[in-house]
Amino acid sequence: FGPDAGLYFSDMGFAQIEHTQPGLTDTATDRQRQRISHQAFVEIEFQTFFFTFLLELTLEGFRNYGRETAAFDPDCNVIFGENAQGKTNLLEAVVYLSRGKSPRARTDREMIGFDASAAVMEAKVLSRDREFRTRVELYRDRRRKMWVNQVPAKNSAALSQVYHTVFFCPEDLNLIREGAASRRRFMDTALCQLRPRYAAALAEYHR
């Protein structure tokens, strides 16, 4: 809001916006409020916000990783290395564990290493002041398995309830270059993380 706007909260969970002029006394402001005929009411959804931290990531048989465990700093992490060393693969695993879908691969089998029969991804995450462990196992000849805190997950919506990710890559320019179908896929991906029921409805639609 600009300098001539005041924001007032009521007990009913609404915000009432009233325009006032700077420099007026309380009495003048009260008189001016009585003259104002246009008031905007904005519903406010009160939420408590928590920080989310990825504490640890373990990969086994995933892409070019035989077995690797990485610990992360809660403040800032810089991942660097030569080409084809697995930087993007590591990020792909982080994203997969947050939504049950790869931002790059069309099928889960593509993420299993050439010499491996299965791939394992496991993350330790601090979210909502609690510690979570998410685990996904990918197989070549059967369906994947997923767990959240050692409890089997029925679908990818259970992963999205632990933490959310935003993945940027050069291909995201296709949101502008390509048609509406690319933009719909982008919106579907975002909504599936925010609203698990939307993910279930979308899966049913694609069947």
Side-chain angles (χ1 to χ4, degrees), residues 24-25 33 50 69 80 86 100 124 127 147 165-166 169 196 200:
L24 295 178
T25 63
R33 287 175 181 168
F50 297 96
T69 297
F80 65 94
K124 182 167 69 173
S127 178
W147 294 267
T165 56
V166 179
C169 64

Side-chain angles (χ1 to χ4, degrees), residues 43-62:
E43 185 175 359
I44 301 295
E45 181 181 358
F46 293 101
Q47 297 179 346
T48 302
F49 295 95
F50 297 96
F51 290 102
T52 299
F53 300 105
L54 176 63
L55 303 177
E56 189 176 275
L57 177 69
T58 299
L59 302 177
E60 185 174 351
F62 180 82

Side-chain angles (χ1 to χ4, degrees), residues 36-184:
I36 294 176
S37 59
H38 63 284
Q39 294 180 343
F41 293 88
V42 182
E43 185 175 359
I44 301 295
E45 181 181 358
F46 293 101
Q47 297 179 346
T48 302
F49 295 95
F50 297 96
F51 290 102
T52 299
F53 300 105
L54 176 63
L55 303 177
E56 189 176 275
L57 177 69
T58 299
L59 302 177
E60 185 174 351
F62 180 82
R63 297 285 190 180
N64 64 331
Y65 288 95
R67 178 174 176 80
E68 188 72 35
T69 297
F72 297 94
D73 189 275
D75 293 327
C76 180
N77 296 272
V78 178
I79 302 170
F80 65 94
E82 300 292 336
N83 291 337
Q85 295 301 302
K87 300 184 297 297
T88 306
N89 294 343
L90 186 147
L91 297 178
E92 180 184 24
V94 173
V95 174
Y96 194 102
L97 287 167
S98 74
R99 64 191 192 195
K101 185 177 180 180
S102 168
R104 305 162 66 204
R106 294 183 177 272
T107 66
D108 289 345
R109 289 191 298 271
E110 295 179 35
M111 293 176 285
I112 301 175
F114 292 117
D115 299 329
S117 59
V120 177
M121 296 170 280
E122 186 171 358
K124 182 167 69 173
V125 180
L126 182 65
S127 178
R128 303 191 297 277
D129 282 345
R130 293 177 54 196
E131 188 174 292
F132 293 86
R133 280 192 175 272
T134 59
R135 181 182 175 94
V136 175
E137 296 180 1
L138 307 178
Y139 307 98
R140 295 188 184 275
D141 55 353
R142 60 184 188 272
R143 296 185 62 180
R144 66 184 179 181
K145 293 182 179 180
M146 301 179 292
W147 294 267
V148 176
N149 287 347
Q150 298 183 335
V151 177
K154 295 181 179 180
N155 50 47
S156 57
L159 300 178
S160 298
Q161 292 177 358
V162 177
Y163 71 100
H164 302 154
T165 56
V166 179
F167 181 80
F168 292 100
C169 64
E171 288 76 11
D172 287 336
L173 292 175
N174 293 334
L175 292 172
I176 301 173
R177 295 172 178 171
E178 294 185 358
S182 179
R183 290 185 285 274
R184 281 196 295 269

